[in-house]
Amino acid sequence: MDSRRSQLHIVFFPFMADGHMIPTVNMARVFARHGVKATVITTPLNAATFSKTIERDRELLGVDISIRMLKFPCAVAGLPEGCENVSSISKPEMNPNFLVAVSLLQRPLAYVLEECQPADCLVADMMFPWATEVAGKLEIPRLFFNGSSCFAACVSDCLRRYQPYKTVKSDFEPFIVPGLPDQIEKTKLQLPMYLTETNDDAFKKLMDEISESDLNCFGVLVNTFRELEPAYSEQYSKLMGKKIWHIGPLSLCNRDIEDKVQRGDPASINRHECLRWLDSKKPKSVLYICFGSIFKFSTIQLLEIAAALEASGQNFIWVVKKEQNTQEMEEWLPEGFEKRMEGKGLIIRGWAPQVFILDHEAIGGFMTHCGWNSTLEGVSAGVPMVTWPLSAEQFDNEKLITHVLKIGIGVGAQEWSLFEKKILVRKEDIEKAVIQLMVGEEAVEIRNRAMKLKDMARRAAEEGGSSYCDIKAFLKELSSLKKAN
């Protein structure tokens, strides 16, 4: 068998959301560096966000990685043209339409997969439960990509299995999630709507399909490392009943400054300007604040955040979504705020080079929505966190950060919601959490734990580390399967 025929070809299909695309593209890059031919399938507008990164890897590293595109059926699904990413969804009524559009990608995916032949496996996001059947018809093994923590997967399974939330009398009454290695408390208000509301049938059906599909796939790739959550890695493996390969933190594939700056969308701040500002601060003295690419806070909540940051006296970098910049400054910032915070606070309007910022020695804390990418990037940088979960599995990740790993302090967020919150997080609670994390009595202890996890993360990704060895083991198994066929 010649080298070209023996080279493994893996096709990657990420869900159309930044939090899913970023780790999937990083995964493709990691596998390409291990000698794999990697093909990423996505839509034109989504491809634009990472095409430069792919081109850089191809030119500088000489790896075999490329992008194949398929059209996103906006019009057919009743979406405005250009709505190819979850971040483009502006109101709740668009969610069902977006899910319809995603379901219509089955046939286009099959066509592109046929064009990509010979392919040795399809790594498809968990949000595409039908990908297992599509790959099966082409006799290609489908790998299920879990872009979140093993901890969150275990919590989700126990909630669905035991339904402990049905025993409480109010939305605020805490209950213990049974079946976990640690005692984890939640409230009904912190649960996803598809668990507690009968009118969220479309998403509930999707989650049931995901559960069924992942049990029928060839195996699971997880963006985590064994040392981070060992008990939950083991529990998740037993739950799935099939081989699981831990291949994270995938963000560590961004090694040089250019890689870190180009993560995701184009940065809304010049990197030299950002670096000059950070270089002017003492080590561990800056709080970085970012809540991901999707959620939009209300004006009144932004005012509470601003007031808390000013009252805390801490240096900060605050990332605010572009949509909130169209409002007059007075609407979402206290009068004279930016002038008073000059030299002490930096506001980035739009997309920030997060990995680049977190790795700077001036960063001493990270106020985060607890999305898994952000959580892992914080862990990999050794930065403790102020936790403020919003939706998805973020309330579970918060428990991992604050109760299991003990590297974070919560602001007291109570409400799971994809859109605007009804319950305000008050200035006093935000300020208290910020001060505790940055300069409180436990700050040094929390920071020391975070630095130990940073060392573990980097060792896991290095040659001979646990994630490196899992990648090698996975590729060896895939090679054996290729030879057998």
Side-chain angles (χ1 to χ4, degrees), residues 284-320:
K284 311 301 179 190
S285 69
V286 177
L287 176 72
Y288 172 68
I289 305 136
C290 183
F291 298 101
S293 59
I294 296 174
F295 192 84
K296 304 175 186 70
F297 277 122
S298 65
T299 298
I300 190 169
Q301 186 63 82
L302 290 169
L303 285 165
E304 293 288 312
I305 295 172
L309 292 175
E310 184 169 0
S312 75
Q314 304 302 306
N315 297 314
F316 64 86
I317 294 179
W318 183 10
V319 184
V320 183

Short mmCIF file of all heavy atoms in Angstrom, two decimals, residues 284-320:
data_model
loop_
_atom_site.label_atom_id
_atom_site.label_comp_id
_atom_site.label_asym_id
_atom_site.label_seq_id
_atom_site.Cartn_x
_atom_site.Cartn_y
_atom_site.Cartn_z
N LYS A 284 -1.06 39.36 37.22
CA LYS A 284 -2.27 38.88 37.91
C LYS A 284 -3.18 40.00 38.42
O LYS A 284 -3.95 39.81 39.35
CB LYS A 284 -1.90 37.97 39.10
CG LYS A 284 -0.89 36.89 38.79
CD LYS A 284 -1.37 35.95 37.71
CE LYS A 284 -0.34 34.88 37.40
NZ LYS A 284 -0.69 34.10 36.19
N SER A 285 -3.13 41.17 37.79
CA SER A 285 -3.90 42.32 38.29
C SER A 285 -5.13 42.67 37.46
O SER A 285 -5.88 43.57 37.81
CB SER A 285 -2.99 43.56 38.36
OG SER A 285 -2.64 43.99 37.05
N VAL A 286 -5.34 41.96 36.34
CA VAL A 286 -6.42 42.31 35.41
C VAL A 286 -7.48 41.21 35.38
O VAL A 286 -7.17 40.03 35.27
CB VAL A 286 -5.88 42.54 33.98
CG1 VAL A 286 -7.02 42.85 33.00
CG2 VAL A 286 -4.85 43.66 33.97
N LEU A 287 -8.75 41.63 35.45
CA LEU A 287 -9.87 40.71 35.28
C LEU A 287 -10.34 40.80 33.84
O LEU A 287 -10.65 41.88 33.34
CB LEU A 287 -11.02 41.11 36.22
CG LEU A 287 -12.31 40.29 36.09
CD1 LEU A 287 -12.11 38.88 36.65
CD2 LEU A 287 -13.48 40.99 36.79
N TYR A 288 -10.40 39.66 33.17
CA TYR A 288 -10.90 39.59 31.79
C TYR A 288 -12.36 39.15 31.84
O TYR A 288 -12.69 38.16 32.50
CB TYR A 288 -10.04 38.61 30.98
CG TYR A 288 -10.59 38.32 29.60
CD1 TYR A 288 -10.61 39.30 28.61
CD2 TYR A 288 -11.08 37.06 29.27
CE1 TYR A 288 -11.10 39.04 27.34
CE2 TYR A 288 -11.57 36.77 28.00
CZ TYR A 288 -11.59 37.77 27.05
OH TYR A 288 -12.08 37.50 25.80
N ILE A 289 -13.24 39.87 31.15
CA ILE A 289 -14.67 39.61 31.20
C ILE A 289 -15.20 39.33 29.80
O ILE A 289 -15.11 40.17 28.90
CB ILE A 289 -15.44 40.82 31.79
CG1 ILE A 289 -14.88 41.18 33.16
CG2 ILE A 289 -16.93 40.53 31.87
CD1 ILE A 289 -14.70 42.66 33.33
N CYS A 290 -15.76 38.13 29.60
CA CYS A 290 -16.33 37.79 28.31
C CYS A 290 -17.40 36.71 28.51
O CYS A 290 -17.16 35.74 29.22
CB CYS A 290 -15.26 37.29 27.34
SG CYS A 290 -15.89 36.94 25.68
N PHE A 291 -18.55 36.88 27.87
CA PHE A 291 -19.67 35.97 28.05
C PHE A 291 -20.03 35.21 26.77
O PHE A 291 -21.18 34.84 26.55
CB PHE A 291 -20.90 36.74 28.55
CG PHE A 291 -20.68 37.39 29.89
CD1 PHE A 291 -20.39 38.75 29.99
CD2 PHE A 291 -20.74 36.65 31.06
CE1 PHE A 291 -20.19 39.36 31.22
CE2 PHE A 291 -20.54 37.24 32.30
CZ PHE A 291 -20.26 38.60 32.37
N GLY A 292 -19.04 34.98 25.91
CA GLY A 292 -19.29 34.20 24.71
C GLY A 292 -19.85 35.03 23.57
O GLY A 292 -19.99 36.25 23.65
N SER A 293 -20.20 34.33 22.49
CA SER A 293 -20.55 35.01 21.24
C SER A 293 -22.05 35.12 20.99
O SER A 293 -22.46 35.73 20.00
CB SER A 293 -19.92 34.26 20.05
OG SER A 293 -20.39 32.91 20.03
N ILE A 294 -22.88 34.56 21.86
CA ILE A 294 -24.31 34.48 21.55
C ILE A 294 -25.18 35.37 22.42
O ILE A 294 -25.99 36.15 21.93
CB ILE A 294 -24.79 33.01 21.65
CG1 ILE A 294 -24.09 32.15 20.61
CG2 ILE A 294 -26.31 32.92 21.47
CD1 ILE A 294 -24.37 30.67 20.72
N PHE A 295 -25.03 35.27 23.74
CA PHE A 295 -25.98 35.92 24.64
C PHE A 295 -25.83 37.44 24.65
O PHE A 295 -24.72 37.96 24.64
CB PHE A 295 -25.81 35.39 26.06
CG PHE A 295 -26.93 35.78 26.98
CD1 PHE A 295 -28.10 35.04 27.01
CD2 PHE A 295 -26.85 36.90 27.79
CE1 PHE A 295 -29.17 35.40 27.83
CE2 PHE A 295 -27.89 37.27 28.62
CZ PHE A 295 -29.05 36.51 28.65
N LYS A 296 -26.98 38.13 24.71
CA LYS A 296 -26.99 39.59 24.78
C LYS A 296 -27.61 40.01 26.10
O LYS A 296 -28.78 39.71 26.37
CB LYS A 296 -27.79 40.18 23.62
CG LYS A 296 -27.31 39.76 22.24
CD LYS A 296 -28.25 40.30 21.16
CE LYS A 296 -27.88 39.77 19.80
NZ LYS A 296 -28.15 38.34 19.63
N PHE A 297 -26.86 40.71 26.94
CA PHE A 297 -27.38 41.19 28.21
C PHE A 297 -28.29 42.41 27.98
O PHE A 297 -28.10 43.19 27.04
CB PHE A 297 -26.24 41.62 29.13
CG PHE A 297 -25.62 40.46 29.89
CD1 PHE A 297 -24.26 40.20 29.76
CD2 PHE A 297 -26.38 39.68 30.73
CE1 PHE A 297 -23.68 39.16 30.46
CE2 PHE A 297 -25.81 38.62 31.43
CZ PHE A 297 -24.46 38.36 31.30
N SER A 298 -29.24 42.58 28.89
CA SER A 298 -30.09 43.77 28.86
C SER A 298 -29.26 44.99 29.27
O SER A 298 -28.21 44.87 29.92
CB SER A 298 -31.26 43.60 29.83
OG SER A 298 -30.79 43.53 31.17
N THR A 299 -29.75 46.17 28.92
CA THR A 299 -29.06 47.41 29.29
C THR A 299 -28.92 47.53 30.80
O THR A 299 -27.85 47.91 31.30
CB THR A 299 -29.84 48.62 28.74
OG1 THR A 299 -29.87 48.53 27.31
CG2 THR A 299 -29.19 49.92 29.14
N ILE A 300 -29.97 47.17 31.53
CA ILE A 300 -29.91 47.31 32.99
C ILE A 300 -28.87 46.37 33.60
O ILE A 300 -28.20 46.72 34.58
CB ILE A 300 -31.32 47.10 33.61
CG1 ILE A 300 -31.29 47.50 35.09
CG2 ILE A 300 -31.81 45.67 33.44
CD1 ILE A 300 -32.68 47.58 35.71
N GLN A 301 -28.71 45.16 33.01
CA GLN A 301 -27.69 44.25 33.52
C GLN A 301 -26.28 44.74 33.22
O GLN A 301 -25.37 44.62 34.04
CB GLN A 301 -27.88 42.85 32.94
CG GLN A 301 -26.95 41.79 33.53
CD GLN A 301 -27.17 41.55 35.01
OE1 GLN A 301 -28.05 40.81 35.40
NE2 GLN A 301 -26.36 42.18 35.86
N LEU A 302 -26.10 45.34 32.05
CA LEU A 302 -24.80 45.92 31.70
C LEU A 302 -24.44 47.05 32.66
O LEU A 302 -23.27 47.20 33.06
CB LEU A 302 -24.82 46.43 30.25
CG LEU A 302 -24.88 45.36 29.16
CD1 LEU A 302 -25.17 45.99 27.81
CD2 LEU A 302 -23.58 44.56 29.10
N LEU A 303 -25.43 47.82 33.05
CA LEU A 303 -25.19 48.91 34.00
C LEU A 303 -24.74 48.36 35.35
O LEU A 303 -23.86 48.93 36.01
CB LEU A 303 -26.46 49.75 34.17
CG LEU A 303 -26.80 50.71 33.02
CD1 LEU A 303 -28.23 51.21 33.14
CD2 LEU A 303 -25.81 51.88 32.98
N GLU A 304 -25.34 47.24 35.78
CA GLU A 304 -24.95 46.60 37.04
C GLU A 304 -23.51 46.10 36.97
O GLU A 304 -22.73 46.23 37.92
CB GLU A 304 -25.89 45.43 37.35
CG GLU A 304 -27.32 45.83 37.66
CD GLU A 304 -27.48 46.50 39.02
OE1 GLU A 304 -26.96 45.98 40.02
OE2 GLU A 304 -28.16 47.55 39.07
N ILE A 305 -23.13 45.52 35.82
CA ILE A 305 -21.76 45.04 35.64
C ILE A 305 -20.78 46.21 35.71
O ILE A 305 -19.76 46.15 36.40
CB ILE A 305 -21.61 44.29 34.29
CG1 ILE A 305 -22.46 43.03 34.28
CG2 ILE A 305 -20.13 43.95 34.05
CD1 ILE A 305 -22.52 42.34 32.92
N ALA A 306 -21.08 47.27 34.97
CA ALA A 306 -20.20 48.44 34.95
C ALA A 306 -20.02 49.03 36.35
O ALA A 306 -18.90 49.34 36.77
CB ALA A 306 -20.76 49.50 34.01
N ALA A 307 -21.12 49.16 37.08
CA ALA A 307 -21.06 49.72 38.44
C ALA A 307 -20.23 48.83 39.36
O ALA A 307 -19.45 49.31 40.19
CB ALA A 307 -22.47 49.89 39.00
N ALA A 308 -20.37 47.51 39.19
CA ALA A 308 -19.60 46.56 40.02
C ALA A 308 -18.11 46.63 39.71
O ALA A 308 -17.27 46.60 40.62
CB ALA A 308 -20.12 45.15 39.79
N LEU A 309 -17.77 46.74 38.43
CA LEU A 309 -16.35 46.82 38.05
C LEU A 309 -15.72 48.09 38.62
O LEU A 309 -14.60 48.05 39.14
CB LEU A 309 -16.22 46.80 36.52
CG LEU A 309 -16.60 45.49 35.83
CD1 LEU A 309 -16.55 45.64 34.31
CD2 LEU A 309 -15.69 44.35 36.27
N GLU A 310 -16.43 49.19 38.52
CA GLU A 310 -15.90 50.45 39.06
C GLU A 310 -15.72 50.36 40.57
O GLU A 310 -14.69 50.76 41.11
CB GLU A 310 -16.82 51.60 38.69
CG GLU A 310 -16.27 52.95 39.13
CD GLU A 310 -17.04 54.12 38.54
OE1 GLU A 310 -18.01 53.91 37.77
OE2 GLU A 310 -16.66 55.28 38.84
N ALA A 311 -16.72 49.81 41.25
CA ALA A 311 -16.66 49.73 42.72
C ALA A 311 -15.59 48.75 43.20
O ALA A 311 -15.03 48.93 44.28
CB ALA A 311 -18.02 49.30 43.26
N SER A 312 -15.28 47.73 42.39
CA SER A 312 -14.29 46.72 42.81
C SER A 312 -12.88 47.26 42.86
O SER A 312 -12.02 46.74 43.58
CB SER A 312 -14.34 45.52 41.86
OG SER A 312 -13.72 45.82 40.61
N GLY A 313 -12.61 48.31 42.06
CA GLY A 313 -11.27 48.90 42.03
C GLY A 313 -10.26 48.09 41.24
O GLY A 313 -9.06 48.41 41.25
N GLN A 314 -10.71 47.04 40.55
CA GLN A 314 -9.78 46.17 39.82
C GLN A 314 -9.60 46.62 38.36
O GLN A 314 -10.51 47.17 37.75
CB GLN A 314 -10.30 44.72 39.84
CG GLN A 314 -10.55 44.16 41.23
CD GLN A 314 -9.30 44.18 42.09
OE1 GLN A 314 -8.26 43.65 41.71
NE2 GLN A 314 -9.40 44.79 43.27
N ASN A 315 -8.42 46.36 37.81
CA ASN A 315 -8.19 46.55 36.38
C ASN A 315 -9.03 45.52 35.62
O ASN A 315 -9.21 44.39 36.09
CB ASN A 315 -6.73 46.34 36.02
CG ASN A 315 -5.81 47.35 36.69
OD1 ASN A 315 -6.08 48.54 36.68
ND2 ASN A 315 -4.72 46.87 37.27
N PHE A 316 -9.50 45.88 34.42
CA PHE A 316 -10.33 44.92 33.69
C PHE A 316 -10.26 45.14 32.19
O PHE A 316 -10.01 46.24 31.71
CB PHE A 316 -11.79 45.01 34.15
CG PHE A 316 -12.46 46.33 33.87
CD1 PHE A 316 -13.07 46.58 32.64
CD2 PHE A 316 -12.47 47.34 34.83
CE1 PHE A 316 -13.69 47.79 32.38
CE2 PHE A 316 -13.09 48.57 34.58
CZ PHE A 316 -13.69 48.79 33.35
N ILE A 317 -10.49 44.05 31.47
CA ILE A 317 -10.79 44.08 30.03
C ILE A 317 -12.19 43.50 29.89
O ILE A 317 -12.45 42.38 30.31
CB ILE A 317 -9.79 43.25 29.20
CG1 ILE A 317 -8.40 43.86 29.25
CG2 ILE A 317 -10.26 43.14 27.76
CD1 ILE A 317 -7.35 43.08 28.48
N TRP A 318 -13.10 44.27 29.30
CA TRP A 318 -14.51 43.87 29.21
C TRP A 318 -14.89 43.76 27.74
O TRP A 318 -14.83 44.74 27.00
CB TRP A 318 -15.37 44.90 29.93
CG TRP A 318 -16.83 44.59 30.01
CD1 TRP A 318 -17.47 43.42 29.69
CD2 TRP A 318 -17.86 45.50 30.43
NE1 TRP A 318 -18.82 43.54 29.90
CE2 TRP A 318 -19.08 44.79 30.36
CE3 TRP A 318 -17.86 46.83 30.88
CZ2 TRP A 318 -20.30 45.38 30.70
CZ3 TRP A 318 -19.06 47.41 31.23
CH2 TRP A 318 -20.27 46.69 31.14
N VAL A 319 -15.30 42.56 27.32
CA VAL A 319 -15.73 42.33 25.95
C VAL A 319 -17.25 42.44 25.87
O VAL A 319 -17.97 41.74 26.59
CB VAL A 319 -15.29 40.93 25.46
CG1 VAL A 319 -15.67 40.74 23.99
CG2 VAL A 319 -13.79 40.74 25.65
N VAL A 320 -17.74 43.32 25.02
CA VAL A 320 -19.18 43.55 24.87
C VAL A 320 -19.57 43.27 23.42
O VAL A 320 -18.87 43.67 22.49
CB VAL A 320 -19.56 45.01 25.23
CG1 VAL A 320 -21.07 45.21 25.14
CG2 VAL A 320 -19.07 45.35 26.63
#
